Amino acid sequence: MPTPQEKPRETAVYTHGHHESVLRSHTWRTAANSAAYLLGSLKPHMKILDIGCGPGTITADLAALVPDGHVTGVDHAPGILDQARATAAGRGLTNVDFAVADVHALDFPDDTFCVVHAHQVLQHVGDPVRALREMLRVTKPGGYIAVRDSDYAAMTWYPASAGLDDWLDLYRRVARANGGEPDAGRRLKSWALRAGLTDITASSGTWTYSTAEEREWWSGLWADRTVASAYARRATEGGHADAEQLRAVAEAWREWGKQDDGWFCVLHGEILCRKRA
């Protein structure tokens, strides 16, 4: 394990921040809609590490699925953990705790967890291969490393919208300037192989928004995120867009959301890796 002097630290900047428009999306996530590829491998006694837990909705679901085990949720941003604790407490869960952590240098001994899970994390970190090596290190022999990330370049929608084309181009430029990789989903297997992981099952999953309610929710949160979140600030401060351009993108989102035939698909890459016993 690295000594304190040798521990690598996060170098990327989290693009989204924790504005209400971001948490509107994060609190919608469940184990069922965001970690289905993992659920069949869970056993009631398991000890789980949930990396990048955010407001804790997936973490709480995992804790409910391992009633004889324990879940530790960690996040790089201390401020979000109070909400995660409130989420767990509101569900009456006692087998879960939360802490601040950097995925590049986890403060846990080798071979600690039965499952190490990360949802929408590696796209935002400075060194995803090093992060996966850390995840492998703290996984018990025979345990699982489970990772899921979206792939922005593979997102698709109907009807065509020049404004959403501008959004996608802008987001990818801002995310990369922040040190992340927005098209992480397609890279997960490659990163896992470079990190020395074996017994890799690679899969994919989607979120799809097409009903009037889904379109209103998805377009509204992205419209608000484009003009009011940390992402908006980083877009302008980094010289990627000005306020007028951001308002135009936000309006394009709202216009798309009004289309009766509107359809949006978010593709995710997934990997489930078994650590050799």
Side-chain angles (χ1 to χ4, degrees):
M1 190 189 311
T3 67
Q5 292 78 17
E6 295 170 335
K7 281 186 178 180
R9 291 295 170 187
E10 175 64 274
T11 55
V13 175
Y14 180 48
T15 296
H16 298 289
H18 292 96
H19 183 264
E20 182 277 331
S21 60
V22 178
L23 296 181
R24 204 183 311 165
S25 171
H26 289 185
T27 55
W28 167 83
R29 298 173 184 173
T30 65
N33 67 31
S34 300
Y37 70 105
L38 166 65
L39 302 188
S41 300
L42 298 184
K43 300 291 188 290
H45 68 276
M46 283 181 160
K47 186 175 183 180
I48 300 174
L49 177 64
D50 186 26
I51 296 172
C53 65
T57 51
I58 297 176
T59 319
D61 283 352
L62 294 174
L65 292 169
V66 292
D68 302 322
H70 188 88
V71 179
T72 296
V74 298
D75 202 281
H76 195 250
I80 196 61
L81 294 180
D82 284 343
Q83 184 168 343
R85 293 183 181 101
T87 298
R91 299 190 192 183
L93 296 165
T94 58
N95 63 332
V96 60
D97 68 314
F98 297 92
V100 176
D102 178 355
V103 67
H104 296 98
L106 296 169
D107 291 323
F108 302 103
D110 296 356
D111 306 337
T112 298
F113 298 96
C114 305
V115 176
V116 178
H117 169 262
H119 182 268
Q120 309 283 41
V121 173
L122 294 191
Q123 64 184 280
H124 297 297
V125 306
D127 191 338
V129 174
R130 188 191 294 270
L132 282 163
R133 288 184 183 132
E134 271 294 271
M135 294 170 70
L136 177 65
R137 179 184 66 78
V138 301
T139 302
K140 293 180 178 180
Y144 296 93
I145 300 96
V147 180
R148 188 176 197 248
D149 268 278
S150 55
D151 193 300
Y152 276 78
M155 293 184 189
T156 190
W157 58 85
Y158 186 86
S161 166
L164 292 193
D165 290 341
D166 291 342
W167 159 75
L168 182 58
D169 174 70
L170 174 63
Y171 180 83
R172 292 171 77 215
R173 285 189 282 115
V174 173
R176 289 199 170 110
N178 287 338
E181 175 44 73
D183 304 339
R186 68 188 64 190
R187 292 171 165 81
L188 294 182
K189 183 179 179 182
S190 173
W191 288 340
L193 289 169
R194 289 166 56 193
L197 277 68
T198 57
D199 192 9
I200 302 168
T201 299
S203 58
S204 61
T206 61
W207 294 333
T208 303
Y209 308 103
S210 65
T211 69
E213 293 78 12
E214 290 167 347
R215 293 194 316 272
E216 180 181 14
W217 179 78
W218 184 242
S219 64
L221 68 86
W222 266 109
D224 292 345
R225 192 181 301 189
T226 299
V227 296
S229 69
Y231 158 64
R233 185 179 70 252
R234 287 163 184 147
T236 54
E237 291 178 354
H240 305 287
D242 58 29
E244 183 177 350
Q245 290 170 314
L246 293 181
R247 285 193 293 270
V249 169
E251 181 58 28
W253 269 112
R254 296 194 187 280
E255 283 301 313
W256 172 84
K258 296 174 184 176
Q259 305 306 309
D260 290 339
D261 57 352
W263 177 91
F264 198 106
C265 183
V266 179
L267 177 71
H268 300 83
E270 304 161 343
I271 53 170
L272 185 63
C273 312
R274 192 84 182 264
K275 185 173 178 177
R276 286 177 178 167

